[in-house]
Amino acid sequence: MARIIHIVDDDESMADIMSDTLIEYGYKTVISNTIENAEEVLSKQRVDLIILDINLPDGTGFEFCKGLRKFSNVPIIFASARTEVDDRIRSLDIGGDDFLSKPYSLKELVSHVNALIRRTYGFTEEESIFKFSDVEVNLTLRTVTRAGNVVNLALREFDLLAYLIEHKNSALDKERILSEVWGAYNAVEPSTLTVHIRWLREKLEKDPSNPQYFITVRGVGYAFKVED
């Protein structure tokens, strides 16, 4: 199940960029631009982590965090242009778990989110690893090895592989795969999927021209065929 990241930031453009990046890495997101909106979100749904700005239109992130800690231990990363030592100390003293100083790289943001998610929720190693043939896929760490050697997959290649593993031994039509892996089917050429399947075959099949695992289902799409 994808973890839900709640972004609380009044910079709408920045919040959208953070959201798009986190979605690319397999998270789900919800955005609030005010404390009032954030409180409404939390009253209606579960979130797994909050990225919280300090300066908000109707209060401060400090106030929001302090109030939240009265009833919730959801992990919080403060992300703010306020970089004074006192602000960093205060954010941790009132219950924040991490602090990122703006500007920061999006890769740095994702690394902090990944690390805090792992520290908070952990994972069962056996459940995160999927093996077929001489290939080992760590779905949590997003790593792949073949015969013990690291296989470098691009972001979407790994997303597609993880999706196929999740739906193993099922015929999946192309439109469904594009919609659920790429998100916006109408904006993606169908040939994109064909190319990514070919790349997975070339990297993970023993004989890419006669695939054993990444199978074409004529008239439908593709299937990842493995023995249960």
Side-chain angles (χ1 to χ4, degrees), residues 125 129-132 134-138 143-147:
E125 189 71 18
I129 293 178
F130 184 88
K131 298 179 181 180
F132 64 98
D134 57 351
V135 176
E136 181 174 295
V137 183
N138 190 312
T143 59
V144 179
T145 59
R146 182 176 179 186

Side-chain angles (χ1 to χ4, degrees), residues 160-185:
L160 176 58
L161 175 60
Y163 181 80
L164 292 173
I165 290 173
E166 181 182 358
H167 300 279
K168 63 183 185 295
N169 296 322
S170 298
L172 303 167
D173 67 57
K174 296 178 181 179
E175 289 81 4
R176 176 183 173 186
I177 298 172
L178 284 167
S179 176
E180 297 191 14
V181 175
W182 273 263
Y185 168 60

Side-chain angles (χ1 to χ4, degrees), residues 10-219:
D10 65 336
D11 185 334
E12 295 184 17
S13 296
M14 186 61 191
D16 287 341
I17 292 171
M18 286 192 286
S19 175
D20 289 344
T21 300
L22 290 166
I23 290 171
E24 288 283 332
Y25 279 85
Y27 292 103
K28 293 183 178 179
T29 65
V30 59
I31 297 174
S32 297
N33 302 125
T34 66
I35 291 175
E36 182 180 3
N37 291 155
E39 291 174 342
E40 182 178 359
V41 167
L42 294 176
S43 71
K44 295 179 178 179
Q45 71 173 85
R46 169 189 64 85
V47 302
D48 298 296
L49 183 146
I50 297 173
I51 300 172
L52 180 60
D53 194 7
I54 293 177
N55 295 323
L56 294 163
D58 52 348
T60 70
F62 294 139
E63 296 166 351
F64 176 70
C65 177
K66 193 172 181 179
L68 186 60
R69 281 294 177 254
K70 294 178 181 179
F71 61 90
S72 174
N73 290 319
V74 62
I76 296 173
I77 298 176
F78 277 91
S80 175
R82 288 173 54 166
T83 59
E84 292 84 356
V85 173
D86 287 347
D87 287 329
R88 298 172 68 91
I89 292 173
R90 184 180 179 189
S91 71
L92 299 176
D93 284 346
I94 63 174
D97 299 280
D98 197 357
F99 192 103
L100 268 173
S101 299
K102 294 180 180 178
Y104 48 79
S105 73
L106 293 172
K107 285 186 177 180
E108 183 180 10
L109 171 68
V110 172
S111 292
H112 279 253
V113 169
N114 287 343
L116 187 50
I117 288 288
R118 286 196 299 268
R119 290 201 304 269
T120 304
Y121 303 104
F123 61 90
T124 302
E125 189 71 18
E126 290 76 14
E127 293 179 351
S128 73
I129 293 178
F130 184 88
K131 298 179 181 180
F132 64 98
S133 183
D134 57 351
V135 176
E136 181 174 295
V137 183
N138 190 312
L139 296 166
T140 301
L141 299 181
R142 296 177 65 90
T143 59
V144 179
T145 59
R146 182 176 179 186
N149 299 311
V150 174
V151 178
N152 292 315
L153 297 185
L155 175 65
R156 286 301 188 194
E157 287 178 274
F158 189 92
D159 290 344
L160 176 58
L161 175 60
Y163 181 80
L164 292 173
I165 290 173
E166 181 182 358
H167 300 279
K168 63 183 185 295
N169 296 322
S170 298
L172 303 167
D173 67 57
K174 296 178 181 179
E175 289 81 4
R176 176 183 173 186
I177 298 172
L178 284 167
S179 176
E180 297 191 14
V181 175
W182 273 263
Y185 168 60
N186 291 330
V188 181
E189 292 292 333
S191 60
T192 299
L193 175 57
T194 303
V195 170
H196 279 70
I197 290 288
R198 186 181 79 238
W199 288 341
L200 289 179
R201 287 171 175 166
E202 291 173 350
K203 293 179 179 182
L204 303 177
E205 293 272 9
K206 291 182 178 179
D207 183 359
S209 61
N210 295 288
Q212 179 181 353
Y213 301 101
F214 302 95
I215 307 300
T216 298
V217 181
R218 295 192 181 281

